[in-house]
Amino acid sequence: DVKVTQSSRYLVKRTGEKVFLECVQDMDHENMFWYRQDPGLGLRLIYFSYDVKMKEKGDIPEGYSVSREKKERFSLILESASTNQTSMYLCASSRTASLYTQYFGPGTRLTVL
Amino acid sequence: SQQGEEDPQALSIQEGENATMNCSYKTSINNLQWYRQNSGRGLVHLILIRSNEREKHSGRLRVTLDTSKKSSSLLITASRAADTASYFCATDNTNAGKSTFGDGTTLTVKP
């Protein structure tokens, strides 16, 4: 079974802090994604990556950056956390051969005070 | 704006009844997928239907796609309390694996 893990289920940070959210997948998937999920807004794509050291902006990249130094790991970075970044963050991965089936991690609920 | 929009936003039924959820989208697509999310968890892929397919089955799930109306429906037959979850449609019009998700339908199945 594909396993996508996220470093924390719940996280509380203060405004202005630098925040790292880690995602690891164990199935050698080429593609990895970061979404945020907010009530009434559905899932919105922040960044995605098709390969190591490669990244592309999604629909809402402002205030975020990402890092993919290894194939299995995709990190989301909030350079200076703000209260409007309080949200559920979901990581996903997929194989290029079955491009459209994404496997999701359990999510990280981030609260920025 | 979201490419896929689910309808209704919330649905409550009794165990054993069928549940139907609809998804409408705006632009032409290559494929459409349905996902399920249990409360506070990640999404789980249920089924994918390609733009040249009209209907697909998987166990108690039946998905239809009408590209002329830009809509899809997900039918869950003989529902169970364990089907209680949110259901999302996701569309891809780029052929690049970058799906756009709707807001979801929250299904409650009462025992």
Side-chain angles (χ1 to χ4, degrees), chain B residues 1-37:
Chain B
S1 62
Q2 294 293 331
Q3 163 77 317
E5 293 184 5
E6 290 89 345
D7 170 61
Q9 284 190 318
L11 181 61
S12 182
I13 59 174
Q14 292 294 136
E15 207 164 27
E17 293 180 342
N18 295 342
T20 300
M21 289 157 267
N22 302 297
C23 170
S24 59
Y25 54 91
K26 297 184 175 71
T27 63
S28 61
I29 59 171
N30 296 311
N31 64 77
L32 184 146
Q33 309 115 62
W34 285 91
Y35 286 80
R36 165 198 168 122
Q37 182 181 34

Side-chain angles (χ1 to χ4, degrees), chain A residues 9 33 35 37 40-45 48 50 88 90 99-102 104-106, chain B residues 2 31 33 35 37 40-43 45 48 88 92 95-99 101-103:
Chain A
R9 288 300 314 278
F33 308 82
Y35 297 88
Q37 183 178 25
L41 296 175
L43 272 74
R44 293 179 290 168
L45 182 63
F48 59 106
Y50 289 137
M88 169 73 102
L90 293 164
L99 200 54
Y100 310 106
T101 301
Q102 294 188 25
F104 282 80
Chain B
Q2 294 293 331
N31 64 77
Q33 309 115 62
Y35 286 80
Q37 182 181 34
R41 309 294 296 185
L43 280 71
H45 186 265
L48 178 150
F88 294 84
D92 191 309
N95 220 26
K98 183 169 149 311
S99 298
F101 289 79
D103 294 344

Side-chain angles (χ1 to χ4, degrees), chain A residues 53-108:
Chain A
K53 295 192 187 295
M54 189 244 126
K55 61 185 178 185
E56 287 200 31
K57 293 179 180 179
D59 300 317
I60 51 163
E62 295 79 19
Y64 303 94
S65 62
V66 290
S67 172
R68 193 159 180 210
E69 295 297 317
K70 293 185 177 180
K71 191 175 185 180
E72 67 270 19
R73 188 180 297 269
F74 193 35
S75 303
L76 180 69
I77 304 153
L78 286 66
E79 294 290 341
S80 178
S82 63
T83 54
N84 62 13
Q85 292 178 310
T86 291
S87 186
M88 169 73 102
Y89 289 87
L90 293 164
C91 174
S93 69
S94 70
R95 289 177 58 219
T96 298
S98 57
L99 200 54
Y100 310 106
T101 301
Q102 294 188 25
Y103 295 85
F104 282 80
T108 295

